[in-house]
Amino acid sequence: MANFLIILFIMSLIYVAKVEMVKSYFSLMAVQGIILFGLAYVELKENEIVQLLFILVETLIFKAIFVPIFLSRITKHKIHRHHSGPIKGYYSVLFSTAIIVISFLCGYMLHDELGADADLQAKYFTAAISSILVGLFIAINNRDLVTHLISYLVIENGIFLLSLALGSSMPMFVNAAILLDIFTSVLIMGIFFNKMKDYFQNTDSSQLSQLKD
Amino acid sequence: MLYSFFGLTAILSLTAYFVRSRNINHGITLAYVGLMGGLGYYLTQHVGKPLNDFFYCDTLGLIFYFILLLVTLVSSIHYVKFVTFRDIKSDVESLHNAGTIFFTGAIVGVLLTSHFGILWAFMEATTLGASILIYHNRTRESLEATWKYLFICSIGIALAFAGVLFLGLAGQQVSNIDFSFSTIRSVSTELNPVWLKACFLLIVTGFSVKLGLVPLFNVDIDAKDASPSQVGASLSSVLMNAGFIAIYRFYEAFSHTSILPWMNKLLMITGILSLFFSAVYILKVKNVKRMFAYSSMEHAALVMIAFSCGGIGYFAAILHLIMHSLVKASLFFQVSQMHRIYDSKLDEKIGSYLRVNPLGGIVLLLGFLSIIAMPPSGMLISELMMFQSLIANNYWWIAILVLLMVLLIIYGLAIKMLGIVFLKKSSASINMRGVTNFESVIQLVLIIIVFYIGLFRPEIIVQSINSAIESLPS
């Protein structure tokens, strides 16, 4: 089950790198939230019930429902298609696939360095590194501020997967930290995003060029 | 005690946000500084002891705590003058004071925690606090700087968190591990070096934005430019110290493992690259605030280079940070006055400053001499120690390279600063409204402290730094 969900997650990463309609991003974030919910349940069901509930609420309510709705609200009826960067369309698919393949190779090479539960860790490690790198790729490749927010969420999802590689050794601390991180950053970035939208009329980051040497 | 302090920080921050009366609002900020003074006294009685399960007070934390106290006090005094002159709206002022208290409280957490997870959480909190402060002017520039700072810092902090998780992966091979500094230090030799390297790399990358180093330095420069000068002063001094202490905690914990030479190489590369970028930008920059921001980057780079050499370099790095914090804060405070007089941050529109504002001109001149490490500046001592440590390690080529880049930076700074202080510029328009010597006197005191440290090397400072680095390998 976990393998199936990880494959789904990785497929969603390729799709996130390719998407052009802003609306699709929010659906994809919701899908990733649900996949992470499934993975957290499969891997952590042996944990204490309070910890498990906390993580499940975090993934399902926060990642799969709250964040996509919040982002959808702040961009409502204003932006339909984001400003794509230098690597467009299917080239993005190729690029993100290359990132995933490299992450697989890294995961394979580091297999022996991993702890006792090496197989479990290797698959999460690979998916996590793929997600972090694809997130960075999206941030660099796109000029739109909404896409920047999405890239940040993709990176955070990667870090959540990395925390699953730790199994049950510190889930409460990790998840409280991730929740704090996403909550504060997304909310505050959301607030500033609204201000930017009002000030600059659109959300193309190339307009952010006032500050220079 | 410490939990009460954080509780009171939250209460005072919220109160400052809701209170709209200017006098009460500033009173709250000063009351907070008083509270910090009380905590400072408590800390001096508990040096080297745990304060509770997650916090302890070591000498390094204490040194940076008192610098934080001093800079926050001076910054609060300058802000009173700033709002009077600029006619700032009461809600902006309230939010700024609330943000200052929150930001300062978060840095206190970074300085005093004994747990890697909590260290990370407080670093995240400094990002949020700093964003509030950077957005102060409500201009297009401040909005741009805030957005960039928030976004890049969030990514940096997320990467640093991945670093903490790598530490968790390393710790899985050891039973009963928690994330306290003492535990990690005691088991560090049993941890897998591959994960420790990955952890340290991500920590340096993530927290580089706080120190203003390569790779994430750009947003830090923009933030110092677009925010009020007293915010720039805090970012260039206390936040830089917080960034350093965060990296230092990981370095210290891993310093007795086989990755020590690798960590030193990483810090050396980061330092040299940062020095290179600061040299390039200082030569072309025209904006005085950005120039000082790049100068901070230069000094952060020198600190990293010195620290990576080990031995006497450790001492030099911490001494340099202490003095840089005081000098750079006073220079940023002085820029606030200069901006008031000339209504510009561009060096081509600022001239004859020594004649226009004699005491301010003296502050600027002495501050300039300090940052280029000219005698009697104490920074000369720390920079000499840095070169001494480079040569002691047989890094002759690096010493020459660093020297060349430092000379380029001195040239770039001298051309602009001497022009500002002495040259008459036709495009300069002068308005002396609201300029008093009081602010310059405070800044002068900060610079004189640095001269005093350089000339007399007070025993308390030397002992404190030696005590702070005694756990590091010689």
Side-chain angles (χ1 to χ4, degrees):
Chain A
M1 184 64 180
N3 286 341
F4 172 70
L5 289 172
I6 286 175
I7 291 166
L8 269 187
F9 183 84
I10 288 175
M11 283 167 65
S12 75
L13 285 178
I14 297 172
Y15 196 40
V16 171
K18 155 79 183 71
V19 156
E20 285 181 9
M21 300 300 284
V22 169
K23 202 169 61 176
S24 310
Y25 275 129
F26 307 140
S27 318
L28 274 168
M29 286 302 102
V31 168
Q32 285 200 348
I34 292 165
I35 296 171
L36 292 178
F37 166 77
L39 281 169
Y41 178 76
V42 170
E43 291 301 339
L44 304 172
K45 61 187 171 196
E46 309 292 321
N47 275 25
E48 278 180 38
I49 188 76
V50 179
Q51 290 190 351
L52 184 63
L53 274 177
F54 181 84
I55 296 163
L56 295 184
V57 166
E58 179 199 334
T59 46
L60 191 65
I61 307 288
F62 197 75
K63 282 182 189 287
I65 300 172
F66 172 75
V67 171
I69 291 176
F70 176 72
L71 290 178
S72 167
R73 283 273 166 88
I74 62 170
T75 56
K76 201 175 178 186
H77 305 309
K78 300 270 182 179
I79 314 145
H80 299 292
R81 190 179 285 274
H82 72 82
H83 305 85
S84 187
I87 300 171
K88 290 180 182 157
Y90 288 101
Y91 291 109
S92 302
V93 175
L94 283 176
F95 212 88
S96 52
T97 309
I99 288 173
I100 291 162
V101 170
I102 291 166
S103 304
F104 260 102
L105 292 174
C106 283
Y108 179 74
M109 282 191 291
L110 285 169
H111 186 271
D112 294 337
E113 306 287 348
L114 292 159
D117 218 355
D119 287 338
L120 167 80
Q121 290 179 344
K123 62 190 178 192
Y124 284 117
F125 181 82
T126 305
I129 299 299
S130 305
S131 187
I132 292 171
L133 292 178
V134 169
L136 289 173
F137 165 67
I138 296 169
I140 294 164
N141 189 41
N142 290 286
R143 297 202 317 251
D144 195 281
L145 300 180
V146 187
T147 328
H148 287 174
L149 270 173
I150 296 294
S151 69
Y152 174 71
L153 291 171
V154 173
I155 292 170
E156 284 293 345
N157 285 344
I159 289 172
F160 181 83
L161 279 172
L162 199 59
S163 77
L164 287 180
L166 285 168
S168 56
S169 53
M170 57 167 192
M172 201 63 182
F173 151 64
V174 169
N175 289 291
I178 294 176
L179 192 61
L180 167 84
D181 200 20
I182 298 182
F183 185 74
T184 48
S185 304
V186 169
L187 274 185
I188 294 185
M189 280 203 263
I191 292 164
F192 277 105
F193 176 82
N194 262 341
K195 289 186 187 294
M196 304 274 291
K197 208 170 46 166
D198 297 340
Y199 215 106
F200 294 97
Q201 310 307 323
N202 70 43
T203 57
D204 187 344
S205 66
S206 62
Q207 291 193 80
L208 305 179
S209 55
Q210 288 284 109
L211 293 165
K212 53 191 168 197
D213 297 301
Chain B
M1 176 69 179
L2 206 62
Y3 290 136
S4 311
F5 174 80
F6 287 124
L8 282 169
T9 300
I11 292 167
L12 286 176
S13 180
L14 281 173
T15 314
Y17 178 68
F18 287 110
V19 169
R20 291 290 186 257
S21 158
R22 174 168 288 176
N23 290 338
I24 297 175
N25 214 293
H26 291 307
I28 291 169
T29 315
L30 289 173
Y32 184 69
V33 175
L35 181 69
M36 284 181 73
L39 180 67
Y41 175 73
Y42 173 80
L43 292 175
T44 54
Q45 309 298 311
H46 292 80
V47 183
K49 296 175 195 162
L51 303 170
N52 56 42
D53 288 349
F54 298 112
F55 294 90
Y56 83 131
C57 177
D58 67 342
T59 327
L60 187 61
L62 192 68
I63 296 170
F64 287 153
Y65 180 86
F66 278 108
I67 291 173
L68 174 66
L69 174 60
L70 190 59
V71 172
T72 310
L73 173 67
V74 176
S75 178
S76 309
I77 294 168
H78 278 80
Y79 188 62
V80 176
K81 194 76 189 167
F82 180 84
V83 290
T84 315
F85 176 75
R86 287 282 188 97
D87 200 20
I88 303 289
K89 283 182 188 169
S90 62
D91 58 332
V92 175
E93 200 177 323
S94 300
L95 184 62
H96 177 85
N97 283 331
T100 302
I101 295 171
F102 180 79
F103 175 72
T104 310
I107 291 182
V108 172
V110 171
L111 300 181
L112 299 179
T113 184
S114 60
H115 190 277
F116 286 115
I118 294 173
L119 173 76
W120 174 83
F122 276 113
M123 283 302 259
E124 166 86 27
T126 62
T127 304
L128 302 177
S131 305
I132 294 169
L133 301 181
I134 297 162
Y135 186 52
H136 180 279
N137 291 346
R138 307 293 193 269
T139 57
R140 192 181 166 110
E141 286 87 359
S142 66
L143 189 56
E144 180 182 330
T146 310
W147 173 266
K148 286 178 177 172
Y149 190 82
L150 251 180
F151 179 63
I152 298 296
C153 265
S154 297
I155 289 187
I157 294 284
L159 292 177
F161 188 68
V164 177
L165 289 178
F166 280 137
L167 185 58
L169 277 171
Q172 275 199 321
Q173 293 146 7
V174 183
S175 58
N176 295 327
I177 194 170
D178 63 20
F179 279 78
S180 66
F181 299 162
S182 55
T183 309
I184 297 293
R185 203 181 302 134
S186 61
V187 301
S188 61
T189 48
E190 298 169 48
L191 302 178
N192 186 329
V194 174
W195 295 123
L196 292 187
K197 281 182 184 176
C199 166
F200 193 71
L201 178 67
L202 289 171
I203 290 295
V204 172
T205 308
F207 291 153
S208 65
V209 70
K210 304 289 177 186
L211 264 161
L213 288 171
V214 165
L216 304 177
F217 67 93
N218 311 54
V219 290
D220 185 59
I221 305 288
D222 288 347
K224 285 168 187 163
D225 177 19
S227 59
S229 296
Q230 58 274 14
V231 176
S234 295
L235 298 182
S236 272
S237 55
V238 293
L239 188 63
M240 211 166 117
N241 295 348
F244 172 79
I245 212 168
I247 293 173
Y248 172 88
R249 298 297 190 208
F250 284 88
Y251 181 93
E252 188 197 20
F254 304 160
S255 62
H256 295 283
T257 67
S258 59
I259 72 161
L260 179 68
W262 183 87
M263 289 197 294
N264 286 338
K265 267 185 201 150
L266 179 70
L267 294 181
M268 178 72 83
I269 292 166
T270 309
I272 290 172
L273 284 175
S274 303
L275 196 62
F276 171 76
F277 280 108
S278 65
V280 170
Y281 283 110
I282 278 181
L283 287 174
K284 69 173 223 177
V285 76
K286 291 190 169 103
N287 177 327
V288 180
K289 282 170 95 175
R290 292 181 84 85
M291 181 176 73
F292 285 145
Y294 283 117
S295 163
S296 296
M297 184 180 171
E298 174 217 348
H299 288 285
L302 292 178
V303 165
M304 282 297 131
I305 292 169
F307 199 75
S308 68
C309 292
I312 197 174
Y314 293 139
F315 186 94
I318 295 173
L319 182 66
H320 199 80
L321 264 181
I322 294 170
M323 292 187 287
H324 175 261
S325 304
L326 301 177
V327 171
K328 198 48 68 62
S330 61
L331 281 172
F332 267 100
F333 291 136
Q334 186 55 233
V335 169
S336 179
Q337 273 175 287
M338 227 157 61
H339 190 239
R340 237 176 282 161
I341 294 171
Y342 296 96
D343 196 26
S344 176
K345 296 183 281 188
L346 300 176
D347 68 325
E348 63 203 22
K349 293 191 173 176
I350 306 171
S352 307
Y353 195 55
L354 194 62
R355 186 179 56 78
V356 172
N357 180 16
L359 196 57
I362 289 170
V363 169
L364 207 61
L365 202 57
L366 293 179
F368 162 65
L369 290 177
S370 287
I371 57 172
I372 62 167
M374 282 284 159
S377 165
M379 294 170 93
L380 173 69
I381 307 291
S382 51
E383 288 197 16
L384 281 177
M385 282 179 178
M386 184 200 70
F387 282 108
Q388 199 181 332
S389 60
L390 278 171
I391 290 161
N393 283 287
N394 277 325
Y395 294 145
W396 282 96
W397 285 108
I398 295 175
I400 292 168
L401 190 68
V402 169
L403 191 64
L404 281 174
M405 287 194 280
V406 168
L407 284 174
L408 275 179
I409 290 169
I410 291 175
Y411 169 76
L413 283 172
I415 281 191
K416 279 148 196 134
M417 292 292 284
L418 295 177
I420 287 170
V421 175
F422 295 113
L423 283 184
K424 191 173 179 183
K425 304 209 178 133
S426 54
S427 54
S429 63
I430 297 163
N431 177 4
M432 292 299 288
R433 190 167 66 92
V435 175
T436 62
N437 283 338
F438 174 65
E439 291 161 273
S440 297
V441 168
I442 303 174
Q443 296 151 17
L444 202 55
V445 169
L446 294 181
I447 294 176
I448 287 170
I449 293 173
V450 173
F451 285 178
Y452 175 75
I453 294 172
L455 288 173
F456 299 102
R457 289 177 70 185
E459 198 56 29
I460 188 167
I461 300 271
V462 174
Q463 273 182 4
S464 301
I465 298 175
N466 278 330
S467 162
I469 59 175
E470 68 186 2
S471 62
L472 294 171
S474 53

